[in-house]
Amino acid sequence: MPLRLRGKKKAKSKETAGLVEGEPTGAGGGSLSASQAPARRLVFHAQLAHGSATGRVEGFSSIQELYAQIAGAFEISPSEILYCTLNTPKIDMERLLGGQLGLEDFIFAHVKGIKKEVNVYKSEDSLGLTITDNGVGYAFIKRIKDGGVIDSVKTICVGDHIESINGENIVGWRHYDVAKKLKELKKEELFTMKLIEPKKAFEIEPRSKAGKSSGEKIGCGRATLRLRSKGPATVEEMPSETKAKAIEKIDDVLELYMGIRDTDLATTMFEAGKDKVNPDEFAVALDETLGDFAFPDEFVFDVWGVIGDAKRRGL
């Protein structure tokens, strides 16, 4: 039966604290029922990744509001914040803050540092990099493939914010739009990128025994605060191991077909397909939920295969 990706109505694709010296750094999470609105005012602790006192942030429901809270705590502009990592001040792309925040996670904000301009010769169709964004308009480099075009330009680093491409300002673009722009650049030609790297300090560690080792999953099996672009944040249980692995595999499919990784997008796809019985139903659900993406049929079949495997294992 053919997929009906274009047959349905399209929907738009988704998307004050004082300083406290010596506050302990935390990691992990609590345990509350899924989709339950927070019954108490949740308080989180944050530091600037290059070193600072500890600030308290609370009462936020979105990434924008969180950045405003952090900016207020440290008396900086929200536009200075590139992205945040959880439980480590290092530029660790596996610890990026996305749409969910463990109830005891400690937040490290990475702010703008040195600006740089680089010229890149596009010798291959693929540049060998993965782009993501912070949800409020800053796209940055999440991964650089060994041996790829970008890997040969040593001044370009994981964590660098891409400010412009060939003189075109891309602040405010989503990561998939930036990836598309880079993919469309002509082969065998030079192009220029203006980048901003996060401010760095000497190697530092959290101010107490907080952080988990990099091999551990933050807050695994515990509760998280899910941030939303509209409406209040909600406390939800962490996904089961089977669901978490399925979402990670969908992220892999996204990277394969679109050159991006987006856990929130992968989660939305999983939720759209978990109660569907065949790929046609899943295609319609995707079109209704994420119609602006116009995913190719091959992509939909691959994602459906991942969801089907997860359902057979039991969610």
Side-chain angles (χ1 to χ4, degrees), residues 106-239:
F106 196 99
I107 304 166
F108 289 90
H110 298 256
V111 301
K112 291 180 179 178
I114 298 172
K115 291 189 175 186
K116 50 194 178 184
E117 182 172 315
V118 295
N119 295 316
V120 181
Y121 181 70
K122 190 176 182 182
S123 57
E124 304 290 340
D125 289 323
S126 173
L127 292 171
L129 82 168
T130 301
I131 307 295
T132 190
D133 66 63
N134 67 356
V136 292
Y138 288 169
F140 55 93
I141 298 171
K142 186 175 183 180
R143 187 176 291 105
I144 296 176
K145 182 180 178 181
D146 290 341
V149 173
I150 296 298
D151 187 43
S152 66
V153 186
K154 299 307 178 184
T155 52
I156 301 176
C157 304
V158 168
D160 285 356
H161 161 50
I162 304 175
E163 188 176 42
S164 71
I165 301 172
N166 283 340
E168 183 176 5
N169 189 305
I170 62 167
V171 173
W173 290 25
R174 292 305 310 271
H175 56 285
Y176 40 80
D177 294 319
V178 178
K180 181 181 179 183
K181 173 75 173 179
L182 291 170
K183 187 175 183 180
E184 291 174 348
L185 294 174
K186 292 182 179 179
K187 188 178 174 182
E188 310 294 346
E189 288 188 6
L190 276 171
F191 67 94
T192 302
M193 291 194 296
K194 288 185 179 180
L195 308 169
I196 303 177
E197 65 179 46
K199 190 173 183 179
K200 298 181 178 70
F202 294 109
E203 196 72 17
I204 59 174
E205 294 295 336
R207 300 198 192 300
S208 76
K209 51 189 177 183
K212 295 188 176 183
S213 66
S214 60
E216 290 185 272
K217 292 183 179 178
I218 301 300
C220 183
R222 302 190 179 186
T224 63
L225 181 69
R226 184 163 184 83
L227 305 177
R228 304 181 185 280
S229 58
K230 296 181 179 180
T234 55
V235 174
E236 301 178 351
E237 290 182 354
M238 289 289 288

Side-chain angles (χ1 to χ4, degrees), residues 28-32 40 42-44 101-105 223-225 235:
S31 180
L32 293 174
R40 58 188 172 86
L42 301 175
V43 178
F44 297 85
L101 179 62
L103 297 188
E104 293 179 15
D105 280 343
T224 63
L225 181 69
V235 174

Side-chain angles (χ1 to χ4, degrees), residues 2-21:
L3 293 171
R4 302 185 295 274
L5 282 175
R6 313 289 182 267
K8 294 290 182 180
K9 179 181 178 182
K10 290 186 176 181
K12 291 184 178 180
S13 58
K14 67 160 189 148
E15 266 228 343
T16 35
L19 294 180
V20 183
E21 290 285 348

